[in-house]
Amino acid sequence: MTIAISHNPIDIPALIDRSRISAFQVVMLILCGICLIIDGFDVQAMGYVAPAIIQEWGIDKANLGPVFGAGLFGMLLGSLTFSILADRIGRRPVLIAATLFFAACMLLTPLAGTVDQLIALRFITGLGLGAIMPNAMALAGEYSPLRKRVTLMMLVSCGFTLGAVLGGLLSAALIPRFGWQSVFHVGGAVPLVIGVLMFFLLPESMQFLVLRGKRLEQVGKWLRRIDPTMVVDQHTRYVVNEKAGKGAPVMQLFQEGRAKVTILLWIINFMNLVNLYFLSNWLPTIAKDAGLSTAMAVMAGTTLQIGGTLGTLIMGQLIDRSSFRRVLIPVFLIAGVAVALIGRPEISLLFLFASIFVAGFCIVGGQPAVNALAGTYYPTTLRSTGIGWSLGVGRIGSIIGPVLGGELIRLNWPNSSIFLVLAVPALVSAAMLMLMQGASTPKDAAAAAVH
């Protein structure tokens, strides 16, 4: 084996791009994916346990709208706040602290005995959850070679929908035997273990450390784990072809030609998360009210997430071979049709589940692609902030979706009208992606960001 000894500066992104994906990178990607599995499990938990809580507490189903909204409002604030913090102190400490925090909150949730207590617990849990997605996605992108970056980022994102699927399957098995509280016992115990594993195994972003001029000796150790032929010492210099950020990170999202894409990304996130969280939270309850059994109602929600998982896996490879716009524009147009069909009273059970699957494929599966677009568009010093604020603004839609759904149900709107209204946001997302044509792309954007 030839040992590569060089006194030239080491370009870290270029080294990652030309190297084979190492076991070290695979472990890091798996840890990020597991973070998103427990993230998806928790976000979906309330939707799956809602019918059991309604029955046990003897409350009207519309009373749970604020409970759904509280968790999502916490996630909104967590995304906005902790993404900025991560671009200041690093992805690793924020990810570990957030994982342990929301694990403790999940374990406290079964102690709730009233709707108000549930609202408070879901809000503080959401604060921790809001930090997970932006930092896991940013870290995954920074350790992925450009040729497979979108595929790997979306594969990691697939953990979110996989967690939602596992949440459905576990809820269907646990609730009849052990009650709804058991779902949160499992959902809290697992991330405690994951948080400990991350403390020992999760690396920091090397690009981040180089731009900050911190822990450069650790950067050398991680580089050797990616490329064992690399020899570095205390005199080795490292290069990341970006400028260190100055000023407020949020303001930088609108500088150097980024403003148009930033605003369009915010709108797309808002519209898609209106749909995603309405469907995720209310679909099992609406399905049960439409005459399905509790088990079939839970499976309706699970089908949505299965479609999302497959959508994530397939879309990542398509985008790496083509572009975000060419894949996502038709995906969101199809989503509008599928959502409208879900509410049709005359369709058969088979066609209903097919429509739910397609909606999940396009809407749930499309959200990781939107996150990956933000992750490949913004530079290292803004990556967590860019993803976090895009998600944070989008999560205003994630709050509005479930709360609006509760109000439309309270007003006794027919399902056909509710789902017809929900088709509109998907069509708006497609229109916003069309407007990205000709957007000014800053020099620090990845070449694959906008086509």
Side-chain angles (χ1 to χ4, degrees):
M1 179 183 293
T2 302
I3 303 298
I5 303 176
S6 175
H7 298 291
N8 295 324
I10 297 175
D11 186 327
I12 291 177
L15 184 145
I16 293 173
D17 287 344
R18 69 173 179 262
S19 299
R20 296 180 61 183
I21 299 174
S22 65
F24 170 69
Q25 290 163 286
V26 170
V27 170
M28 186 280 308
L29 292 169
I30 289 173
L31 285 173
C32 289
I34 293 174
C35 276
L36 293 182
I37 287 175
I38 55 180
D39 187 0
F41 181 97
D42 177 88
V43 168
Q44 285 304 114
M46 274 311 304
Y48 290 129
V49 305
I53 291 177
I54 290 168
Q55 182 176 351
E56 182 177 313
W57 290 2
I59 59 176
D60 187 86
K61 58 182 177 292
N63 290 337
L64 289 184
V67 176
F68 295 141
L72 297 170
F73 184 59
M75 291 177 69
L76 184 159
L77 294 181
S79 290
L80 299 181
T81 304
F82 295 117
S83 59
I84 296 175
L85 181 64
D87 278 333
R88 294 293 190 189
I89 69 171
R91 288 61 159 129
R92 182 179 184 275
V94 173
L95 261 179
I96 294 172
T99 300
L100 295 175
F101 176 79
F102 84 74
C105 292
M106 285 282 279
L107 292 173
L108 289 173
T109 300
L111 301 178
T114 67
V115 172
D116 287 341
Q117 291 173 358
L118 204 53
I119 288 172
L121 282 165
R122 293 308 295 167
F123 172 75
I124 61 172
T125 303
L127 291 173
L129 282 173
I132 300 296
M133 179 72 77
N135 291 293
M137 289 290 288
L139 200 55
E142 286 156 358
Y143 272 91
S144 299
L146 183 60
R147 64 186 181 276
K148 293 185 177 180
R149 185 163 299 156
V150 176
T151 297
L152 291 174
M153 289 178 75
M154 290 187 66
L155 188 61
V156 168
S157 290
C158 198
F160 184 90
T161 47
L162 180 59
V165 172
L166 291 175
L169 297 175
L170 283 174
S171 296
L174 291 172
I175 292 173
R177 294 176 175 84
F178 308 107
W180 62 268
Q181 295 90 343
S182 60
V183 175
F184 291 100
H185 290 146
V186 173
V190 173
L192 283 178
V193 176
I194 301 307
V196 174
L197 287 176
M198 287 196 297
F199 182 82
F200 292 103
L201 299 176
L202 188 72
E204 182 56 271
S205 164
M206 294 185 292
Q207 295 93 317
F208 172 85
L209 293 177
V210 170
L211 288 170
R212 295 290 179 184
K214 298 178 179 178
R215 299 176 61 196
L216 298 183
E217 72 287 348
Q218 187 64 59
V219 171
K221 294 178 182 178
W222 288 329
L223 279 177
R224 286 196 296 271
R225 298 191 66 180
I226 293 173
D227 182 358
T229 68
M230 185 65 59
V231 174
V232 298
D233 56 31
Q234 66 270 25
H235 303 295
T236 303
R237 292 194 303 116
Y238 306 102
V239 175
V240 175
N241 292 319
E242 299 175 12
K243 296 183 295 183
K246 296 181 180 179
V250 177
M251 295 305 298
Q252 293 179 52
L253 300 180
F254 296 90
Q255 297 171 357
E256 300 182 24
R258 301 186 189 101
K260 179 177 179 179
V261 173
T262 293
I263 292 171
L264 291 175
L265 278 170
W266 287 8
I267 295 172
I268 294 167
N269 265 289
F270 176 89
M271 292 296 172
N272 198 53
L273 290 176
V274 165
N275 272 339
L276 195 158
Y277 280 89
F278 173 88
L279 292 170
S280 297
N281 285 287
W282 282 114
L283 188 58
T285 301
I286 291 175
K288 190 174 188 302
D289 287 347
L292 299 184
S293 67
T294 299
M296 287 296 289
V298 170
M299 285 308 299
T302 306
T303 299
L304 182 81
Q305 302 302 334
I306 291 172
T309 302
L310 292 177
T312 302
L313 292 173
I314 293 171
M315 271 188 261
Q317 297 181 56
L318 292 176
I319 291 169
D320 268 331
R321 295 173 184 174
S322 179
S323 73
F324 283 98
R325 291 180 70 255
R326 289 176 183 173
V327 173
L328 290 180
I329 290 173
V331 158
F332 285 127
L333 291 175
I334 293 170
V337 176
V339 170
L341 288 174
I342 292 173
R344 304 305 303 172
E346 68 275 9
I347 65 173
S348 66
L349 183 64
L350 178 62
F351 200 68
L352 170 64
F353 272 79
S355 298
I356 292 171
F357 176 85
V358 173
F361 186 99
C362 297
I363 292 172
V364 181
Q367 185 59 42
V370 176
N371 297 338
L373 173 55
T376 56
Y377 181 76
Y378 294 108
T380 301
T381 53
L382 294 178
R383 191 160 291 127
S384 285
T385 300
I387 300 172
W389 273 71
S390 181
L391 274 172
V393 172
R395 280 176 173 145
I396 298 173
S398 73
I399 296 169
I400 290 174
V403 174
L404 175 63
E407 289 305 307
L408 295 180
I409 291 170
R410 193 194 302 273
L411 293 171
N412 294 316
W413 275 42
N415 289 342
S416 58
S417 298
I418 292 174
F419 284 94
L420 192 61
V421 168
L422 285 172
V424 174
L427 302 179
V428 173
S429 294
M432 295 302 101
L433 282 157
M434 293 177 188
L435 290 176
M436 283 191 180
Q437 179 68 33
S440 176
T441 305
K443 293 179 180 179
D444 53 26
V450 179
H451 294 260

